Amino acid sequence: MAHKKDIIIGFFVGIIAVLIGIFFFDICIGIYKGSSFNRIINRSFSTTLLDKRASIGVLINLPIFYLFLNKKKEDIAKGVLLATILVGILFLINKL
């Protein structure tokens, strides 16, 4: 049972990391362009160019994945990898 629980925990960690990555990317770009905070928030929830922003957000999963591998938490790392693959497949389907 702990095996499945760890994979689910890793999956949610991976999804949350992607969302944080998208939001962080939007904040950085918004500050660079001099946008207002409301415009940055609206862009974060916008679906335009979401696939490009999500691909950058997925990059945050890489160090998280290796962190769990180094801590001998392979099942949680599997969940992070599963979340990364799922996000990739969803955006691949969205492109078609």
Side-chain angles (χ1 to χ4, degrees), residues 3-96:
H3 176 71
K4 289 182 182 180
K5 180 181 173 187
D6 288 343
I7 292 175
I8 291 170
I9 289 170
F11 178 78
F12 283 116
V13 167
I15 294 295
I16 291 169
V18 169
L19 295 175
I20 290 171
I22 290 170
F23 188 67
F24 182 73
F25 176 73
D26 287 341
I27 288 174
C28 291
I29 295 298
I31 290 171
Y32 177 74
K33 289 184 174 182
S35 298
S36 68
F37 184 72
N38 287 335
R39 187 174 172 132
I40 293 170
I41 296 298
N42 288 337
R43 179 181 163 93
S44 291
F45 291 109
S46 169
T47 57
T48 58
L49 300 175
L50 185 60
D51 52 345
K52 291 175 178 53
R53 294 183 350 232
S55 64
I56 291 172
V58 167
L59 289 176
I60 291 180
N61 280 351
L62 187 63
I64 293 171
F65 176 75
Y66 283 112
L67 173 77
F68 286 127
L69 281 181
N70 286 336
K71 290 188 173 251
K72 305 292 186 220
K73 305 271 186 185
E74 288 88 6
D75 291 334
I76 297 176
K78 287 178 191 176
V80 172
L81 183 62
L82 182 65
T84 304
I85 291 170
L86 179 69
V87 168
I89 290 172
L90 286 175
F91 288 106
L92 182 67
I93 290 171
N94 189 31
K95 281 293 223 182
L96 299 177

